[in-house]
Amino acid sequence: MDELLNSLVETGLRGGTPTRNEALAVLRTSDDDLLDVVAAAGKVRRRWFGRRVKLNYLVNLKSGLCPEDCSYCSQRLGSRADILKYTWLKPEEAADAAAAGVRGGAKRVCVVASGRGPTDGDVARVSRTIEAIKERTGGVEVCACLGLLSDGQAERLRAAGADAYNHNLNTAEAAYGDICTTHTYDDRVATVKEARTAGLSPCSGLIAGMGESDEDLVDVVFSLRELDVDSVPVNFLLPFEGTPLADQWNLTPQRVLRILAMVRFVCPDVEVRLAAGREVHLRSLQPLALHMVNSIFLGDYLTSEGQAGKADLEMIADAGFEVEDAETTTMPAHRNGAGAAGGAATSATTVAQEAAAVPDAPVPESAVPESAVAGRPERPQARVAVRRRGAGTELPPNA
């Protein structure tokens, strides 16, 4: 175990890429070794991001009624989840919600709308919203997440003031057909590339806990590394009642921590964001995750409630970390200004060369924890808390 972790730390400190077998070995470490794994990933995190935590805030511009059939989503076609459903927020309503997040400490506001992708009219509407948010908040970072992009739409969002675009790969290419049939994995990759070409910082991540294999998790994270995205949101499935994956309670806090460690080792100098599901699946172990991630969402999510924004801030301080301020550049110097949207100086080709330079070692069978063999954990009694406040309601937001 010491040999594996030492190798991972050495590689991560120089911004290199571990082998796939090393990444798999992280997912298969035992509970006895878990704190050593967290500590090793923490060394890599501190090398590139110190003890800073970037806060992000979600504003759901349009909720529910999506024509896509993504199995994990409470807003999907045919969903019976009892979530908020509303049409487009007015620009001033979205700006009000964004301002609440900024007052709570958020450095980036993520504006999200359900749907396959925006029409040109939708892009015009969101452009006005971005402008209103920038004016209200004094220029906070804005990331748009509107689905699949058509030609020219990313450029229009950039011209309106958007800084980044999010479109998650969600799972490995080989497993994508198991969770969605109305669009393809390649469609998602194309949108991430479109955003980068337009000068938007590419943001793309994954969802764990959908029944995927260890190999699927490693594959999607390596794909994100090869796409050279600037930020990687790591979501953990919220099994909403009324969705096809409502019975998929596959995660334990220990499993979540291993996944975060693996992502940090594969993407050492990238913003790794702890996203939806952290409260449900990490529970009292949330502070340990801060030793591996350098970014979290503040308050609530799109259709589910998060813990109180004040509790997020207390957790960060109690764990010995600090909220990243607006004047601090999030990304390491070598990733800023090197191509579109401050992309990494390290190209996908270089990444592949670094990976090839380290020989693949077999994953030791002794590394597989008993919990991985015994089957998934017993389903918890708690259900997902549906968001009933903030955007689309008359109640104040959680920030």
Side-chain angles (χ1 to χ4, degrees), residues 285-302:
L285 296 191
Q286 285 186 72
L288 278 180
L290 296 177
H291 291 273
M292 296 173 286
V293 306
N294 64 293
S295 180
I296 68 170
F297 280 109
L298 175 73
D300 293 336
Y301 303 94
L302 297 177

Side-chain angles (χ1 to χ4, degrees), residues 117-380:
T119 65
D120 286 342
D122 293 336
V123 171
R125 184 197 310 268
V126 174
S127 295
R128 293 192 296 271
T129 296
I130 293 170
E131 291 166 357
I133 290 173
K134 291 274 188 176
E135 181 177 358
R136 180 74 59 86
T137 62
V140 69
E141 291 181 15
V142 175
C143 178
C145 178
L146 311 172
L148 302 172
L149 293 174
S150 302
D151 289 346
Q153 291 183 330
E155 286 82 357
R156 291 173 60 192
L157 291 169
R158 178 64 174 153
D163 300 280
Y165 195 83
N166 166 260
H167 199 59
N168 294 332
L169 297 187
N170 290 327
T171 195
E173 181 176 11
Y176 199 83
D178 296 334
I179 63 167
C180 182
T181 66
T182 49
H183 61 264
T184 68
Y185 177 90
D186 288 341
D187 291 333
R188 288 189 170 263
V189 170
T191 286
V192 175
K193 291 180 177 179
E194 183 81 12
R196 173 182 288 286
T197 299
L200 294 167
S201 176
C203 172
S204 187
L206 64 144
I207 305 173
M210 297 188 291
E212 69 283 334
S213 67
D214 288 351
E215 288 77 8
D216 291 332
L217 284 171
V218 168
D219 284 350
V220 68
V221 177
F222 270 82
S223 293
L224 293 167
R225 171 84 192 210
E226 290 158 9
L227 278 172
D228 197 20
V229 297
D230 291 332
S231 52
V232 177
V234 186
N235 299 274
F236 299 95
L237 178 70
L238 288 169
F240 279 89
E241 294 293 332
T243 63
L245 299 184
D247 292 326
Q248 293 289 320
W249 291 89
N250 301 316
L251 297 169
T252 64
Q254 294 84 356
R255 172 72 168 171
V256 169
L257 292 172
R258 290 187 190 95
I259 292 169
L260 292 173
M262 184 270 289
V263 176
R264 173 54 72 199
F265 287 130
V266 177
C267 303
D269 57 353
V270 166
E271 178 185 343
V272 177
R273 185 179 310 148
L274 182 56
R278 66 175 163 96
E279 299 89 346
V280 173
H281 296 296
L282 274 172
R283 300 189 288 281
S284 63
L285 296 191
Q286 285 186 72
L288 278 180
L290 296 177
H291 291 273
M292 296 173 286
V293 306
N294 64 293
S295 180
I296 68 170
F297 280 109
L298 175 73
D300 293 336
Y301 303 94
L302 297 177
T303 61
S304 65
E305 287 189 355
Q307 69 183 20
K310 182 182 178 183
D312 288 334
L313 298 177
E314 289 174 347
M315 176 182 72
I316 291 169
D318 290 348
F321 292 86
E322 59 184 18
V323 173
E324 183 175 289
D325 60 41
E327 288 71 38
T328 300
T329 301
T330 300
M331 302 303 290
H334 70 275
R335 291 191 66 89
N336 288 311
T346 307
S347 67
T349 300
T350 304
V351 168
Q353 290 170 343
E354 289 174 345
V358 185
D360 246 5
V363 180
E365 296 195 5
S366 60
V368 181
E370 292 182 6
S371 57
V373 179
R376 70 185 189 191
E378 183 179 351
R379 178 174 177 169

Side-chain angles (χ1 to χ4, degrees), residues 12-35:
L13 293 180
R14 61 178 172 81
T17 312
T19 68
R20 279 179 163 78
N21 273 355
E22 286 177 322
L24 280 170
V26 172
L27 296 179
R28 296 171 181 175
T29 50
S30 71
D31 288 349
D32 288 343
D33 293 319
L34 182 58
L35 288 181

